[in-house]
Amino acid sequence: MPSTSYLSRAASPLKTPQSEPIPGSSQVENRAGGFAWEISSMDRLRRFLILGSEGGTYYATERNLTRQNIDGVKLALDENGVAAVQEIINISTDGRAPKNDPALYALAIACAHSDENVRKAALYAIPRVARTGTHLFHFAEFVQTQRGWGRALKSGIASWYEQDEDKLAYQVVKYRQRDGWTHRDLLRLAHPEAISPTHASIFNWLCNRDNDSVLPITIKAFKYAQASDSFHETANLIKKYGNKLPREALNTEHLNSGEVWEALLYEGMPLTAMIRNLATMTRIEVLKPMSKGTSYVIEKLSDQEYIHKSKVHPLSILGALATYSSGHSARGISSWTPLREIIDSLNKAFYISFKNIKPTNKRTLLALDVSGSMTFGDIGGMPGIDPRIGSAAMALVTASTEPNYHIVGFSHELIPLSISPNERLDDVISNISGLPFGRTDCAQPMIYALNNKLEIDTFCIYTDNETYFGNIHPMQALYEYRRISGINSKLVIIGMTADKFSIADPNDSGSLDVIGFDTATPQVIADFSADRF
Ligand code: CA
C-alpha cells in the first residue's frame, strides 16, 4: 500500500489525490472517478483507428465507448478535416492497425462531413482504404448510415471497380458478398464505367449477364472450382491456377481435404490466411510432426522479409498463438493437438512482425497495469487478447531489443513479474492471466523506483489510464522522482484502450502518449527515449 512509501511520508506541495484534479491543470474526470488529461482529437482518432472499441472497457459499455469514439472522429474532422482523412488513409495503408473496420467507419463519417473539401478527400480515398471486396461491402454498410447515395458517393464506389482487371477479378471471386451486399448491388447503384473490354465482361458476369465476351482466367478458374466434384480435381485446379484460386473461391465441401489444403498452402496461401488456418491444417494433418507442411509453415513464419511484405499485424499473430496453443476454438466447437514447433514459430514471428528497432541502451522500467479493468474486453476485437495480456506482449517487444530493462506489474500496489522475452508468449499469457485483480494507481512505478533508489531514464507505463486510487498523481510522482534522483527521466504512456484520457501531462516535454499495438509504437518509444525526435 502507498501509505508505507517514501512519497506519502514526505510533505510535498505537489501531492494531490487522484480523485481530485491537480490544481491549475486542465485535468478532467476519467471513467473510474480519477482525474487525467484529455488527449487531442487527432490522438483520439488514432486510438480508435488502432484499438477499435470492441468489447468496451470495465467502466464503459461498448456502445458508450463506440459513441464516444465516433464523437472523437467527428471532432478530429471538424478541427483538422483533411489531415484527419490523411491519417485514416495512412494508418490503414501502412497496416498499423490490426483491423481495418475502424478506418472504414471513420472514412464513412468523413464522406458525410459538412465541409466539401473533407468530403472530397474522403470520397477520393475509398479505393485506398477499402482495398478488398469485404472492405467495400463494410464501407457501403457504414456509409449509408451516415448519408444518402448521392452522385459523388456513387462515383467514389465506382472508382473501386476501375482497378486493374486481374486484381478486380481476384477480389470479386474471393469476396463475393458480405453484410447483405453483393457486387451486383453495388454495380447497379454506382454504374462504374467499364474501362476495358475485360472490365465489361467482369461486370456482365457479376450481373448474371453472361455473354460471349472473354472472361479473365481468374473467373474461369472460379467457375471450374465451383463445378468441381472431387477433392482431387479441386486440388489439381489449385495447382493449375495457382494463387488465382483462393480458398474462398472453392467448393466449400472440399475444404475438409488435406490434399486441397496442401495445394492451397504451397500455391501461395497469403500469410494472414495461413496463420488463421493453422488449427484446421493441424486437424486434417497437413501439419503434423516432421511433415512437409510443417516445414513450409515454419519457414514462412521465420522469413522476416516475407512477414514485413505481407503486412500481417503483430496482434493477429498473438491472437493466432493464443488460440492455436489452447487447442480448441473460441466457442469450443473444434479441437486439435497443437504442435510445439508451430507455437515456437508463431512466437518468433510475433517479434519479427515489428520493424527492426534500434536499441537505446537507456535504463528502462517497463511497468504493466495489471488492475482489474485491464482484463475487460479484447484489444482490436482479437479473441483472448485483453489489454493486460496485450501490454505484456508489447512490453516484451521493447524488452527484446533493450539490454537494460526491468519489468514490473502494478495495480494499487507493486506486483513483481517474472516474464521475459526468453519465455514463450503462451506461457507469458497464462502467467499474466493468473494474476489477482486490484485497483489502479499509475503512480506506483515512480514510487517503486524512488523507494528502491532505482536509476531510471525512461518509465514505460502500459495502462488504460483509468487511475484513481493513489494519493499522488502519476505526473507529480514523476516530478518528485526527477527532483530526488537528479535524472531527467522520461515517461511514455502506452494507452491500451480507445478512450480519451491520458495520465501524461501534454505540457511536459519529457512525457509522451502513444498507442498500444500500433506497429510503429516500439520504434516511437525508442526514438523518444533516445532523443532521436
Ligand atoms: Ca484499472
Side-chain angles (χ1 to χ4, degrees):
M1 293 292 287
S3 60
T4 57
S5 73
Y6 167 84
L7 278 170
S8 54
R9 289 196 307 273
S12 166
L14 298 167
K15 197 173 139 193
T16 315
Q18 291 173 21
S19 55
E20 293 167 21
I22 295 176
S25 77
S26 56
Q27 286 188 321
V28 294
E29 190 170 356
N30 67 21
R31 296 176 209 293
F35 280 79
W37 283 273
E38 210 172 290
I39 56 173
S40 73
S41 63
M42 281 295 264
D43 284 336
R44 283 176 71 177
L45 171 69
R46 286 186 195 107
R47 275 196 193 172
F48 172 61
L49 292 173
I50 289 165
L51 298 167
S53 59
E54 287 161 271
T57 82
Y58 188 72
Y59 304 101
T61 62
E62 176 169 0
R63 214 163 136 204
N64 281 334
L65 197 55
T66 304
R67 196 183 311 126
Q68 288 185 31
N69 276 312
I70 289 166
D71 291 344
V73 172
K74 286 182 175 163
L75 196 61
L77 289 167
D78 289 345
E79 289 178 357
N80 235 328
V82 176
V85 171
Q86 191 56 49
E87 195 64 11
I88 295 168
I89 299 170
N90 290 350
I91 287 180
S92 174
T93 54
D94 290 349
R96 282 167 59 190
K99 289 205 173 171
N100 201 36
D101 290 6
L104 294 166
Y105 204 99
L107 191 70
I109 295 172
C111 285
H113 199 268
S114 56
D115 180 339
E116 196 191 350
N117 289 326
V118 175
R119 230 166 38 234
K120 268 189 180 160
L123 290 162
Y124 187 70
I126 292 171
R128 298 184 63 192
V129 178
R131 292 178 299 280
T132 72
T134 292
H135 294 166
L136 186 69
F137 295 140
H138 281 327
F139 175 78
E141 191 61 17
F142 294 151
V143 80
Q144 67 171 4
T145 65
Q146 303 295 323
R147 56 164 285 164
W149 286 97
R151 222 185 46 176
L153 176 58
K154 289 179 181 177
S155 80
I157 297 278
S159 67
W160 190 90
Y161 290 94
E162 287 157 14
Q163 61 180 303
D164 170 88
E165 57 195 46
D166 289 333
K167 288 180 183 150
L168 178 63
Y170 180 80
Q171 288 299 323
V172 300
V173 303
K174 183 168 178 177
Y175 307 105
R176 301 194 295 283
Q177 57 196 34
R178 192 58 89 83
D179 300 341
W181 288 95
T182 64
H183 290 292
R184 187 182 172 191
D185 300 331
L186 289 177
L187 289 172
R188 283 181 166 176
L189 201 59
H191 294 293
E193 191 192 340
I195 56 170
S196 77
T198 312
H199 282 78
S201 70
I202 295 172
F203 296 167
N204 279 332
W205 177 71
L206 286 170
C207 294
N208 304 325
R209 293 191 303 254
D210 232 346
N211 57 18
D212 293 337
S213 59
V214 180
L215 283 168
I217 193 155
T218 301
I219 292 177
K220 283 187 192 157
F222 169 77
K223 291 170 93 173
Y224 298 142
Q226 291 288 308
S228 159
D229 50 19
S230 77
F231 296 148
H232 191 61
E233 187 187 347
T234 294
N236 280 337
L237 284 168
I238 298 164
K239 286 175 200 159
K240 182 169 177 194
Y241 292 104
N243 58 14
K244 291 193 184 325
L245 263 186
R247 170 179 54 91
E248 294 87 342
L250 304 180
N251 181 340
T252 49
E253 285 168 22
H254 297 167
L255 292 176
N256 288 320
S257 153
E259 192 186 347
V260 168
W261 277 98
E262 276 191 326
L264 282 169
L265 186 60
Y266 306 142
E267 293 300 332
M269 180 188 291
L271 184 58
T272 43
M274 183 196 290
I275 64 169
R276 229 179 268 159
N277 289 291
L278 291 170
T280 300
M281 291 191 284
T282 301
R283 224 174 42 233
I284 56 174
E285 298 186 353
V286 169
L287 303 182
K288 59 182 178 183
M290 269 48 102
S291 73
K292 187 181 161 198
T294 302
S295 312
Y296 184 89
V297 166
I298 291 173
E299 191 197 313
K300 291 292 177 195
L301 289 177
S302 320
D303 185 336
Q304 180 165 1
E305 203 187 323
Y306 175 70
I307 289 175
H308 287 175
K309 228 174 125 190
S310 76
K311 290 190 180 170
V312 64
H313 195 277
L315 190 59
S316 306
I317 300 176
L318 188 64
L321 188 143
T323 305
Y324 183 77
S325 61
S326 77
H328 58 81
S329 58
R331 281 170 295 167
I333 295 166
S334 62
S335 62
W336 57 91
T337 306
L339 292 173
R340 188 259 324 146
E341 48 274 51
I342 297 291
I343 305 176
D344 280 344
S345 298
L346 283 169
N347 190 67
K348 277 189 215 139
F350 173 75
Y351 293 101
I352 293 176
S353 65
F354 287 92
K355 305 242 159 64
N356 288 328
I357 305 154
K358 263 201 340 216
T360 65
N361 297 307
K362 297 286 181 192
R363 296 163 293 188
T364 306
L365 183 69
L366 303 167
L368 279 54
D369 177 351
V370 297
S371 68
S373 64
M374 293 290 282
T375 63
F376 200 81
D378 299 320
I379 302 180
M382 195 60 65
I385 309 298
D386 64 27
R388 184 148 97 165
I389 291 168
S391 301
M394 283 296 290
L396 291 182
V397 173
T398 294
S400 69
T401 59
E402 290 298 341
N404 234 336
Y405 72 89
H406 178 54
I407 300 183
V408 293
F410 67 90
S411 54
H412 55 280
E413 59 191 354
L414 217 282
I415 296 173
L417 279 185
S418 62
I419 58 171
S420 98
N422 300 324
E423 268 176 290
R424 228 171 46 182
L425 286 163
D426 53 318
D427 294 328
V428 172
I429 289 173
S430 49
N431 190 336
I432 286 283
S433 307
L435 293 172
F437 299 148
R439 288 157 290 188
T440 318
D441 176 7
C442 289
Q444 284 294 317
M446 279 70 73
I447 295 172
Y448 165 73
L450 267 174
N451 287 342
N452 292 281
K453 298 192 169 61
L454 302 183
E455 298 189 337
I456 308 290
D457 297 310
T458 306
F459 292 91
C460 291
I461 300 185
Y462 301 76
T463 180
D464 57 12
N465 290 290
E466 286 168 347
T467 194
Y468 67 96
F469 190 71
N471 55 11
I472 178 168
H473 274 263
M475 280 308 293
Q476 293 174 323
L478 176 70
Y479 295 141
E480 200 60 1
Y481 178 84
R482 285 175 182 162
R483 189 177 69 79
I484 291 170
S485 69
I487 304 170
N488 195 18
S489 309
K490 291 181 173 165
L491 172 67
V492 186
I493 301 301
I494 299 98
M496 301 303 295
T497 49
D499 66 12
K500 60 182 178 183
F501 304 104
S502 175
I503 55 172
D505 182 348
N507 297 313
D508 178 64
S509 63
S511 299
L512 180 72
D513 187 87
V514 296
I515 305 169
F517 272 107
D518 181 341
T519 50
T521 286
Q523 187 62 58
V524 172
I525 295 173
D527 289 345
F528 177 71
S529 188
D531 283 320
R532 293 191 204 120
F533 274 3

